[in-house]
Amino acid sequence: MLAAGQLGPGEGGPLHLHHGEEILRILSGEVQVTVGSETRRCSAGDVVIIPTDTPHGFTTITETTMEVVAELDAGQVFPVTDTDGTTRLIEVYQEDLPWSRRPPPGFNWTSNEDMTDILRRAPSPKKSH
């Protein structure tokens, strides 16, 4: 799957992972990308390879255009913090996202309300110094 998009400053995605490899290519602007325990500032021309099942996220520094190459049906999993302070992984299932997997038996598609709650509880990528 190839997707391209433009984001304004301060936008991005919380830490999450996929059961498939992902590649980001920065076309313009600057973005801070976290992959595993490494955080770096990327700009036009940079390519970031995200291995399977590796937590990652990003925050744009300036208006940014990037391409994302990812496996179809790779799923999307978020670490979320529960009220007791423990963190657990939650896989989301969204019909409108091509990298999402179909829900297994006994699970349903993730509602917009549940997705909003999951994103609220997912950590943001760490800031570089």
Side-chain angles (χ1 to χ4, degrees):
M1 175 194 77
L2 172 64
Q6 187 169 15
L7 298 167
E11 296 184 325
L15 288 177
H16 63 282
L17 61 91
H18 307 281
H19 302 302
E21 188 175 78
E22 184 174 21
I23 300 169
L24 305 178
R25 186 165 73 114
I26 312 307
L27 302 177
S28 68
E30 291 183 292
V31 61
Q32 182 173 284
V33 180
T34 298
V35 178
S37 61
E38 183 181 341
T39 299
R40 69 179 182 151
R41 190 176 186 135
C42 300
S43 57
D46 287 340
V47 174
V48 179
I49 298 173
I50 303 161
T52 299
D53 293 325
T54 301
H56 62 282
F58 67 91
T59 303
T60 56
I61 298 165
T62 64
E63 187 170 290
T64 302
T65 303
M66 71 173 86
E67 288 180 338
V68 178
V69 178
E71 294 180 41
L72 290 173
D73 299 327
Q76 191 165 20
V77 180
F78 292 91
V80 296
T81 303
D82 289 329
T83 54
D84 64 2
T86 60
T87 300
R88 63 188 170 103
L89 297 176
I90 296 179
E91 184 164 4
V92 298
Y93 308 101
Q94 295 188 287
E95 281 184 285
D96 59 339
L97 298 178
W99 56 83
S100 187
R101 299 191 300 182
R102 294 187 64 76
F107 289 82
N108 296 314
W109 293 105
T110 305
S111 70
N112 290 337
E113 294 81 18
D114 287 343
M115 192 68 207
T116 299
D117 182 57
I118 290 165
L119 291 174
R120 180 184 56 75
R121 294 171 25 206
S124 297
K126 62 184 172 182
K127 304 285 186 210
S128 63
H129 303 295

